[in-house]
Amino acid sequence: MEKMSQISYQTEAAVTAEELSQVFKASGIKRPVDDLGRLDAMIKHADLLYSAWDGDKLIGVARAITDYSYCCYLSDLAVDADYHAKGIGKHLVEMVGEHIGEEVALILLSSPTAMGYYPKIGFEKIENGYIIKRKS
C-alpha cells in the first residue's frame, strides 16, 4: 500500500540554502543552484517566504519582495516536479496574496515554459514591462 503524503505549509520556516537549491533543481526553475552563498542571501533578504513540505522535505517555495502597500514582486515560485498538478503552487500564491492584501499588486517574471500556468491561477498577462538583465 502506498503511503499518502501529508503536505504542510509554513510561513516562517527556516529554509536552508541547500533545501532551496534542491527544490529549485527538482522543479526545473533556472536559478543559481550551485551558489549556496547567493541562495542564502536570497532567503535572508526576502520579505516573504512561504514553503510547502512533505514531512521534512521542502517541496515548494514562494519567495517575494514587497513594500506592503503598493506592489509585491513574486521572485520565486518553485514546486518539485514530482508534486506538480496538486495545487501546491496555487496555494503558495494564495498565501502570499492573503498576506499582502487587496491593495497590493502581485507581479512576476515568468519563464517561457510557465507562461501557460500563471493565467490558470489568476494572473493576467501584461505587456508594459521592461527589464535590465543581471550580468551574472
Side-chain angles (χ1 to χ4, degrees), residues 8-42:
S8 64
Y9 296 89
Q10 297 185 25
T11 58
E12 297 294 327
V15 173
T16 67
E18 292 83 1
E19 289 169 324
L20 188 60
S21 175
Q22 288 304 313
V23 80
F24 283 165
K25 288 175 185 176
S27 73
I29 194 171
K30 186 176 178 177
R31 294 293 184 269
V33 295
D34 296 321
D35 187 345
L36 296 181
R38 192 168 182 184
L39 292 180
D40 189 55
M42 289 165 64

Side-chain angles (χ1 to χ4, degrees), residues 44-122:
K44 287 180 180 171
H45 297 294
D47 293 313
L48 302 173
L49 182 66
Y50 290 94
S51 54
W53 301 81
D54 185 355
D56 61 357
K57 178 184 179 184
L58 180 66
I59 59 163
V61 66
R63 192 179 67 84
I65 310 298
T66 185
D67 60 18
Y68 294 101
S69 61
Y70 188 73
C71 64
C72 178
Y73 173 62
L74 184 63
S75 47
D76 295 314
L77 180 63
V79 175
D80 184 317
D82 290 342
Y83 295 84
H84 282 182
K86 297 185 183 309
I88 295 167
K90 181 179 182 179
H91 188 70
L92 289 167
V93 169
E94 289 170 349
M95 291 173 72
V96 171
E98 288 172 13
H99 185 88
I100 61 176
E102 294 181 356
E103 293 182 347
V104 179
L106 184 58
I107 57 175
L108 62 83
L109 295 174
S110 176
S111 74
T113 59
M115 290 295 290
Y117 171 71
Y118 291 105
K120 294 177 185 175
I121 63 169

